[in-house]
Amino acid sequence: MKIGQLKPARGATHPKKRRGLGPASGLGGTAGKGHKGQKARAGKGSKVPGWFEGGQMPIQRRIPKRGFHNPGRVEYQPVNVGSLGTFSAGAKVDRASLHQKRLIGHGDRPVKLLGEGEITLALQIAVDAASATARQKIEAAGGSLTLPEVRTRRVRGEKKVKHAHAEGAPVRGRKPKHTERH
């Protein structure tokens, strides 16, 4: 058998329903759209969103709203200092190694080190955040803790820092002036 000879099994496909082709089509009169109403119309009137309730107060507005969901919240994966005993002395502990030892569930989400438990090993730890007690316990054991640089926001009214472009390099997002063309 060749690839050009492949076809669906008998009965697996059926011809497309051709609407509005007179009384003999089996869809005569209403063309399979039922009788009258907003969804039977041609054009824009037939494209009604699935959540539309005919002018009745929609469910997303009828249900009371409670609480607040902060879209900017950073969801950390917690790791306790006591669970780092599985590493050997002097080992580098980062997100990848924690994920490999199954101490965290996701290798691409931020990690926070908490101070629960005891540690006696001197480890080189690089995580996204750490509590004050975790930092004290690691430094007391002779280890080091590296955290990413804190990103600060611009003070209101302060100008943005513009980066200089290399001479002759094209500047993205800007049309060339009429003198720069060709």
Side-chain angles (χ1 to χ4, degrees):
M1 175 177 268
K2 296 186 175 118
I3 198 161
Q5 296 172 330
L6 292 174
K7 59 182 183 180
R10 179 175 293 200
T13 62
H14 56 277
K16 192 177 91 172
K17 189 181 273 194
R18 297 179 68 202
R19 299 183 178 279
L21 296 180
S25 69
L27 298 168
T30 58
K33 287 178 172 242
H35 289 280
K36 302 181 182 177
Q38 189 179 21
K39 290 189 172 181
R41 306 300 182 204
K44 193 175 176 183
S46 64
K47 295 177 180 72
V48 184
W51 47 260
F52 186 64
E53 299 184 26
Q56 173 177 292
M57 186 63 71
I59 192 164
Q60 72 269 23
R61 291 184 62 195
R62 288 198 302 263
I63 294 171
K65 312 300 189 278
R66 294 249 182 256
F68 170 73
H69 175 72
N70 182 4
R73 176 186 158 90
V74 178
E75 191 74 38
Y76 288 104
Q77 299 179 90
V79 175
N80 284 313
V81 171
S83 60
L84 298 178
T86 57
F87 290 94
S88 58
K92 287 188 178 182
V93 179
D94 59 351
R95 202 184 300 169
S97 62
L98 289 169
H99 184 62
Q100 190 176 4
K101 295 241 184 194
R102 296 178 182 251
L103 293 173
I104 57 173
H106 304 275
D108 57 346
R109 296 186 188 165
V111 176
K112 182 166 184 174
L113 198 62
L114 303 177
E116 189 73 31
E118 294 301 320
I119 185 166
T120 55
L121 303 168
L123 300 171
Q124 296 175 343
I125 302 171
V127 290
D128 300 289
S131 67
T133 53
R135 180 187 291 269
Q136 288 171 358
K137 288 182 180 182
I138 290 162
E139 289 171 355
S144 65
L145 180 66
T146 321
L147 300 175
E149 189 177 313
V150 179
R151 291 173 57 188
T152 57
R153 295 180 66 168
R154 263 187 309 120
V155 179
R156 187 177 180 135
E158 188 179 306
K159 299 282 184 189
K160 284 186 180 178
V161 177
K162 293 194 176 182
H163 300 285
H165 295 284
E167 189 64 37
V171 179
R172 291 183 59 190
R174 180 177 75 80
K175 273 184 154 178
K177 294 179 183 172
H178 71 283
T179 56
E180 296 174 344
R181 292 189 185 146
H182 305 297

